[in-house]
Amino acid sequence: MMDAPFDAAAFKAGTRMQWDKSAAGWDGHTTMIRQWLAVATGAMLDMAAIREGSHVLDVAAGSGDQTLEIATRIGPSGRVLATDLSPAILDLAARNLARAGLANFATRVMDAEELDVESRSYDAAISRLGVMLCPDPGAALSGMLEALKSGGRAATLVFSTPQANPCVATLMSVALKHAGLPPADPFRPGSLFSLGKPGLIDDLFRKAGFADVATTVISAPFSVVSTADYLGFIRTSASPVLQILAGLDGNRQAAAWAEMDEALDRFGGENGWTGPNELLLTCATRP
Ligand SMILES: C[S@@+](CC[C@H](N)C(=O)[O-])C[C@H]1O[C@@H](n2cnc3c(N)ncnc32)[C@H](O)[C@@H]1O
């Protein structure tokens, strides 16, 4: 049997709706996410050469955790534009930055694949765990290139392979099984691991027109007290998993969560629960 053709518009509508729904959950776990991604985020901002006075584009900014770090780094003489497909999560980003007393930012709802910003006007363009969710990541990278001044830097963070991210891989496979769906190609467009295939993201950066493309592998273990803490985050915030389970009734969803709980317990121990995660940090320059 042939697979149905991929419907990018329907996929995008589903992504927006699901992230609107999980916006509060993602935002509510900011402290956990910040700790999980602290090293990777610092490295991404360094590699993008973001400094005082920089003009920065943040793609798929979510509720703005990394936007806040950027806005703090660039100071009052810099500017950051946070963009995202989901209006609900971007509203939270605006609220969070305003609450922190920052005024050097703007937010604009925008599909990463159709970036509509001033050409050649940014010093840096970054995306933390965003570009992999685009079914056409090349379009997002082309838009980032177009936004940059000559010599401007881009940096993205995405998940690497399912093998190196066993908790995420487990969540996805258990969700698919309970939804009655066949095991999916983990590298399919728009999925969590879509850019994890070694060499793929570098090729996409080069095809978009970037120079000096380099990828670094970063270990980003997710450490919490218990499996329940990790699943609490996933159940409220992990849109790709929630999107798969959305059509199931309460009992069938409960069965899926129970199996995930059991499968993830092996990452727990005397010192709490730590799920291994591996990210790819890719940086490049606009010639
Ligand atoms: C895993 S969250 C990351 C959010 C934020 N960058 C962070 O690291 O906290 C993924 C974000 O990508 C956004 N997103 C997914 N597809 C998108 C697209 N095509 N264009 C723009 N944003 C998109 C979602 O709405 C969500 O806010």
Side-chain angles (χ1 to χ4, degrees), residues 51-78:
R51 56 175 79 95
E52 199 169 341
S54 293
H55 188 188
V56 183
L57 176 63
D58 184 354
V59 176
S63 55
D65 180 46
Q66 73 289 309
T67 323
L68 195 144
E69 201 169 325
I70 294 166
T72 307
R73 240 190 216 222
I74 61 181
S77 60

Side-chain angles (χ1 to χ4, degrees), residues 37-112:
L37 298 175
V39 172
T41 305
M44 176 177 70
L45 304 192
D46 288 347
M47 293 309 287
I50 294 171
R51 56 175 79 95
E52 199 169 341
S54 293
H55 188 188
V56 183
L57 176 63
D58 184 354
V59 176
S63 55
D65 180 46
Q66 73 289 309
T67 323
L68 195 144
E69 201 169 325
I70 294 166
T72 307
R73 240 190 216 222
I74 61 181
S77 60
R79 279 179 296 153
V80 56
L81 173 62
T83 64
D84 199 280
L85 190 63
S86 154
I89 206 163
L90 206 51
D91 277 352
L92 294 172
R95 193 197 63 184
N96 290 337
L97 270 80
R99 204 181 262 170
L102 294 157
N104 55 351
F105 73 94
T107 59
R108 242 194 288 156
V109 174
M110 208 179 286
D111 185 344

Side-chain angles (χ1 to χ4, degrees), residues 11-12 15-16 18-20 23 26 30 33 36-37 41 44 58-67 83-87 89-90 109-115 126-135 140 157 159 190 192 233 237-240:
F11 177 86
K12 221 63 93 52
T15 301
R16 181 194 300 249
Q18 194 57 60
W19 278 104
D20 275 347
W26 187 266
T30 294
I33 295 167
W36 168 38
L37 298 175
T41 305
M44 176 177 70
D58 184 354
V59 176
S63 55
D65 180 46
Q66 73 289 309
T67 323
T83 64
D84 199 280
L85 190 63
S86 154
I89 206 163
L90 206 51
V109 174
M110 208 179 286
D111 185 344
E113 294 177 18
E114 294 172 35
L115 290 173
I126 61 100
S127 183
R128 188 176 84 174
L129 300 185
V131 175
M132 66 206 180
L133 301 176
C134 294
L157 277 171
F159 281 111
L192 287 167
F233 163 60
S237 321
S239 278

Side-chain angles (χ1 to χ4, degrees), residues 171-172 175-176 179 181 188 239-248:
L171 294 168
M172 293 302 285
L176 286 167
L181 297 168
R188 73 196 178 285
S239 278
V241 178
L242 301 174
Q243 216 164 338
I244 297 170
L245 296 178
L248 302 184

